[in-house]
């Protein structure tokens, strides 16, 4: 008994086991029939596709359990095409696995490096052609080519300009000015305090001056939610209390987290929820954040009434509405 | 009797023809008496013997007939259990009994009346396109863009609108039941309310054009299906592809 460790010999490749279809003609016939059936099913699918395109009107609806009332035209078009492609694929794979040649072939890898003579040939050719083209001699061509190529390569830098222009003060300002009336969205009707009952909400926008147009950019900044509480429910600083009017309080609808429209108002808890990331704002405490990722309360719009008794903004928003941005001061 | 009960809900705020006055008054008091009996048996244990409210339930004085019609008519009241939210379920009372209860509660102190069939004529007065616009601004954030309902905080939720009747939708807008805020008539005019109802009725009748709608709640169920069923199928096919034939 020697204690030397003997190297494990290379076991080689396992024996090639032939498939039933290679040795048994009955199995071969059976597999052939299976492939044929799969292809026939594919043909049935295509016929269903064609037939539903021609014969099922687009207005035909049928009721299916689980799915509900469904457009039959679309359903059978899709089903037909799905069956056609699926069974075509299944048939092809089954054919390849059971009937196509099953021989194992060993193909050795060859070296990636080219033959030494080929490499020398290549270098010689490049040198010879470069000399013939006169790249070393004709400096005018060389320089102009360099110029044109360099310009072309640098030109995409110009497109970076499309990253601008800078927004200037657009992120800091909204359309709300001192005395801007609050109007319903949609409808553009001015609102009186008596229009809102306790517990009522209103989606509002600033009233347009003649000649002004409402753009999506503006709606994205200007949207405001009006909520009426009982005045005694407020827990506000004297300044913020002076921004409300008889229990009516107004907040920017644009979430201070990511800018979604915050308008899920729970009347019983007096919480405002943002549907995107579940930030929760407590309305009686000036929209203080009580849950979720928002870092700041919603900006409050100071409101009062004008001489005709309609609700107006006392002054513009005192802070930028919406999410944080680099130049934001607070 | 049905006619009389129907009138009960509508007569409080509407000036009635004087000729019918005495008949309706009689019918009303009969219904109020019946409603009071139902109230004492079914509601007073929480809401108090005189509907004055208690530790666990609000006062019903002044909530009006519409509130009773909504809460009892949708089966939300009586509540099955004191959880975060009253659920829609099979109503515990017949429509006649609900009307009697409504008459009783309305007799305590005036409140919003049940809107009459003429007020709720959304087919005539509503506009589906306008309703869609109003729905997306005022309702979709809670009730989902297709009216399927959605989550609120602490287990509360905005219910699906797929079973809601036009009267119930109108009542909910006027009353602001549970978590829902009130939508006053000057903010959403009665015509605008009818437009919203018409849009919701259209959404209820909307068939699935592209196959299974998966609850119409957007990418959540769609993603779930494709990540489980879709990927599962692909994995199965990949395994079959790589298996050697015997």
């Amino acid at each position: 008994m020697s204690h030397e460790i003997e190297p494990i010999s290379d076991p080689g490749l396992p024996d090639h086991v032939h498939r039933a279809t290679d040795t048994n003609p009955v199995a071969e016939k059976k597999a052939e029939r299976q492939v044929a059936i799969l292809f026939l099913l594919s043909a049935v699918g295509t016929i269903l596709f064609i037939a539903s395109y021609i014969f099922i009107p687009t207005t035909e609806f049928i009721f299916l359990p689980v799915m509900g009332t469904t457009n039959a035209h679309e359903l059978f078009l899709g089903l037909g095409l799905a069956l056609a492609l699926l069974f075509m694929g299944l048939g092809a794979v089954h054919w390849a696995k059971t009937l196509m040649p099953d021989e194992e072939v060993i193909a050795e890898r060859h070296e990636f490096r080219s033959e030494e003579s080929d490499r020398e040939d290549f270098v010689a050719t490049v040198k010879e052609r470069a000399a013939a083209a006169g790249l070393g001699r004709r400096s005018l061509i060389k320089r102009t080519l360099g110029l044109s190529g360099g310009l072309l390569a640098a030109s995409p830098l110009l497109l970076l300009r499309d990253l601008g222009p800078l927004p200037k003060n657009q992120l800091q300002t909204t359309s709300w000015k001192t005395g801007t009336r609050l109007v319903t969205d949609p409808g553009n009707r001015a609102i009186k305090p008596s229009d809102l009952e306790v517990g009522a909400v209103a989606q509002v926008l600033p009233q347009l001056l003649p000649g002004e147009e409402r753009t999506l950019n503006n709606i994205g900044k200007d949207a405001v939610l009006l909520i009426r509480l009982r005045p005694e429910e407020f827990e506000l600083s004297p300044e913020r209390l002076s921004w409300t009017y008889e229990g009516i309080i107004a907040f920017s609808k644009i979430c201070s987290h990511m800018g979604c429209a915050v308008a899920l108002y729970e009347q019983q808890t007096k919480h405002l929820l943002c549907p995107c990331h579940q930030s929760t704002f407590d309305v009686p405490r000036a929209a203080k954040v009580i849950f979720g990722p928002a870092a700041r309360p919603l900006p409050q719009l100071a409101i009062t009434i004008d001489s005709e008794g309609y609700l107006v903004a006392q002054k513009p928003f005192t802070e930028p509405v919406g999410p944080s941005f680099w130049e934001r001061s607070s | 009797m049905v006619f009389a009960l129907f009138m009960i809900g509508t007569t409080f705020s509407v000036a009635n023809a004087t000729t019918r006055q005495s008949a309706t008054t009689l019918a009303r008091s009969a219904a109020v008496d019946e409603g009071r009996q139902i109230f004492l048996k079914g509601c007073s244990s929480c809401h108090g013997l005189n509907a004055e409210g208690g530790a666990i339930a609000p006062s019903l004085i002044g909530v009006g007939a519409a509130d009773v019609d909504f809460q009892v008519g949708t089966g939300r009241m009586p509540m099955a259990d004191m959880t975060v939210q009253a659920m829609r379920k099979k109503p515990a009372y017949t429509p006649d009994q609900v009307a009697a209860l409504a008459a009783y509660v309305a007799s305590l102190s005036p409140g919003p009346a049940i809107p009459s069939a003429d007020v709720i004529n959304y087919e005539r007065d509503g506009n589906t396109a306008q309703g869609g616009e109003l729905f997306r601004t005022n309702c979709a954030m809670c009730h989902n863009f297709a009216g399927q309902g959605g989550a609120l905080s602490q287990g509360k939720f905005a219910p699906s609108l797929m079973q809601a009747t036009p009267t119930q939708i109108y009542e909910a807008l006027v009353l602001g039941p549970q978590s829902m805020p009130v939508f006053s008539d000057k903010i959403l005019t009665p015509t605008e309310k009818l437009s919203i109802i018409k849009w919701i009725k259209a959404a209820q009748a909307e068939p699935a054009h592209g196959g299974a709608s998966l609850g119409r709640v957007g990418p959540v169920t769609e993603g779930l299906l494709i990540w489980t069923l879709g990927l599962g199928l692909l994995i199965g096919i990949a395994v079959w592809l790589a298996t050697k034939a015997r």
Side-chain angles (χ1 to χ4, degrees):
Chain A
M1 287 283 286
S2 81
H3 290 279
E4 276 178 47
I5 297 167
E6 288 185 16
I8 297 166
S9 58
D10 179 3
L13 294 169
D15 284 338
H16 181 59
V17 182
H18 285 286
R19 304 166 299 190
T21 44
D22 292 329
T23 50
N24 184 352
V26 180
E28 190 188 347
K29 271 283 166 213
K30 189 179 159 197
E32 192 180 348
R33 274 198 307 277
Q34 284 169 341
V35 172
I37 288 170
L38 288 170
F39 284 153
L40 276 177
L41 285 173
S42 168
V44 170
T46 310
I47 290 166
L48 178 66
F49 176 75
I50 295 169
S52 44
Y53 184 81
I54 298 173
F55 296 113
I56 304 179
T58 52
T59 50
E60 183 75 25
F61 285 89
I62 53 167
F63 181 82
L64 291 175
V66 183
M67 288 180 76
T69 308
T70 308
N71 187 310
H73 179 81
E74 308 280 353
L75 178 72
F76 286 109
L77 271 186
L79 218 54
L81 196 60
L83 292 178
L85 293 174
L86 178 69
F87 284 115
M88 181 84 83
L90 292 181
V93 171
H94 195 54
W95 181 13
K97 282 173 67 169
T98 54
L99 294 173
M100 284 191 189
D102 178 37
E103 291 153 20
E104 283 180 355
V105 177
I106 298 171
E108 298 287 353
R109 278 192 190 142
H110 60 80
E111 256 200 281
F112 283 129
R113 188 184 164 94
S114 302
E115 296 284 335
E116 204 52 48
S117 60
D118 288 349
R119 295 165 67 88
E120 280 162 13
D121 268 0
F122 177 77
V123 172
T125 309
V126 168
K127 279 183 176 164
E128 185 198 321
R129 293 294 148 87
L135 211 58
R137 276 180 296 129
R138 302 192 197 279
S139 60
L140 183 65
I141 290 181
K142 197 163 75 181
R143 283 176 192 160
T144 48
L145 178 65
L147 175 74
S148 61
L151 259 183
L152 185 67
S155 61
L157 289 176
L158 184 72
L159 304 182
L160 293 178
R161 189 178 164 276
D162 284 347
L163 294 174
L166 290 170
K168 301 203 177 119
N169 69 348
Q170 283 177 33
L171 294 174
Q172 274 93 357
T173 57
T174 66
S175 310
W176 293 100
K177 314 240 166 19
T178 303
T180 307
R181 273 192 186 160
L182 283 68
V183 296
T184 59
D185 167 36
N188 290 322
R189 294 184 302 270
I191 302 166
K192 285 187 173 169
S194 57
D195 295 348
L196 285 160
E197 297 157 40
V198 170
V201 295
Q203 327 281 331
V204 297
L205 287 173
Q207 189 173 45
L208 291 175
L209 298 174
E212 273 184 340
E213 231 176 293
R214 229 190 259 306
T215 64
L216 280 178
N217 269 350
N218 283 339
I219 295 174
K221 293 190 296 178
D222 296 343
V224 159
L225 186 70
L226 271 189
I227 305 168
R228 184 158 203 167
L229 277 61
R230 289 188 176 79
E232 64 270 20
E233 287 168 334
F234 285 131
E235 297 171 39
L236 299 171
S237 66
E239 190 204 1
R240 287 304 186 94
L241 196 61
S242 72
W243 289 9
T244 67
Y245 187 83
E246 289 181 355
I248 302 176
I249 191 165
F251 292 109
S252 165
K253 239 164 86 174
I254 315 303
C255 187
S256 59
H257 174 231
M258 297 288 265
C260 292
V262 185
L264 285 81
Y265 176 60
E266 292 183 357
Q267 201 211 145
Q268 287 172 326
T269 56
K270 303 184 174 56
H271 293 165
L272 255 177
L273 321 181
C274 181
C276 295
H277 306 100
Q278 287 71 51
S279 291
T280 307
F281 304 90
D282 193 24
V283 171
R285 289 188 284 166
K288 185 181 174 207
V289 182
I290 53 171
F291 182 80
R296 293 184 303 276
L298 296 170
Q300 186 184 341
L301 181 69
I303 54 168
T304 183
I305 55 165
D306 63 10
S307 55
E308 290 173 58
Y310 289 107
L311 286 171
V312 294
Q314 272 185 34
K315 52 184 172 184
F317 277 112
T318 54
E319 57 178 315
V321 301
S324 300
F325 49 95
W326 281 346
E327 299 85 352
R328 199 180 193 280
S329 48
S330 57
Chain B
M1 183 65 178
V2 174
F3 174 73
L5 286 174
F6 174 74
M7 291 305 294
I8 286 153
T10 58
T11 41
F12 297 102
S13 57
V14 184
N16 226 347
T18 43
T19 47
R20 283 199 207 123
Q21 197 66 51
S22 56
T24 27
T25 312
L26 268 181
R28 187 199 295 172
S29 58
V32 166
D33 287 344
E34 190 198 343
R36 182 155 184 279
Q37 292 308 314
I38 299 170
F39 183 89
L40 289 174
K41 281 188 200 127
C43 318
S44 61
S45 57
C46 300
H47 288 287
L49 286 171
N50 296 307
E52 73 277 18
I56 52 168
S59 162
L60 299 181
I61 296 168
V63 299
D67 203 293
V68 178
D69 187 56
F70 179 84
Q71 299 285 5
V72 185
T74 60
R76 287 186 167 84
M77 290 288 152
M79 272 175 104
D81 48 36
M82 295 295 290
T83 45
V84 286
Q85 186 161 339
M87 312 282 254
R88 188 185 186 101
K89 56 184 183 290
K90 195 171 171 294
Y93 297 107
T94 65
D96 283 353
Q97 287 172 318
V98 174
L101 257 180
Y104 167 66
V105 170
S107 75
L108 300 170
S109 180
I114 301 168
S116 70
D118 191 54
V119 171
I120 303 291
N121 199 336
Y122 64 93
E123 284 293 354
R124 183 189 65 198
D125 300 331
N127 174 327
T128 314
Q130 185 201 27
E133 197 186 342
L134 290 161
F135 188 90
R136 285 188 290 278
T137 317
N138 290 288
C139 322
M141 54 279 203
C142 300
H143 287 286
N144 158 300
F145 45 81
Q148 302 288 325
L152 295 173
S153 65
Q154 315 266 329
K156 296 189 287 294
F157 64 93
S160 161
L161 304 176
M162 291 301 108
Q163 273 90 50
T165 68
T167 310
Q168 287 162 0
I169 298 168
Y170 197 96
E171 287 167 344
L173 284 164
V174 171
L175 300 164
Q178 303 193 39
S179 291
M180 182 166 162
V182 175
F183 291 89
S184 310
D185 273 358
K186 288 287 176 57
I187 304 302
L188 282 181
T189 63
T191 314
E192 288 179 333
K193 288 187 171 82
L194 294 183
S195 292
I196 290 177
I197 291 171
K198 196 167 181 182
W199 185 88
I200 294 172
K201 293 310 283 182
Q204 287 175 353
E206 186 71 13
H209 287 278
S213 61
L214 305 179
R216 288 183 180 150
V217 290
V220 174
T221 48
E222 289 162 15
L224 186 71
L225 191 78
I226 212 70
W227 279 94
T228 51
L229 211 69
L231 266 188
L233 195 69
L234 286 184
I235 290 170
I237 289 178
V239 168
W240 176 68
L241 270 174
T243 314
K244 201 174 181 306
R246 298 266 155 223

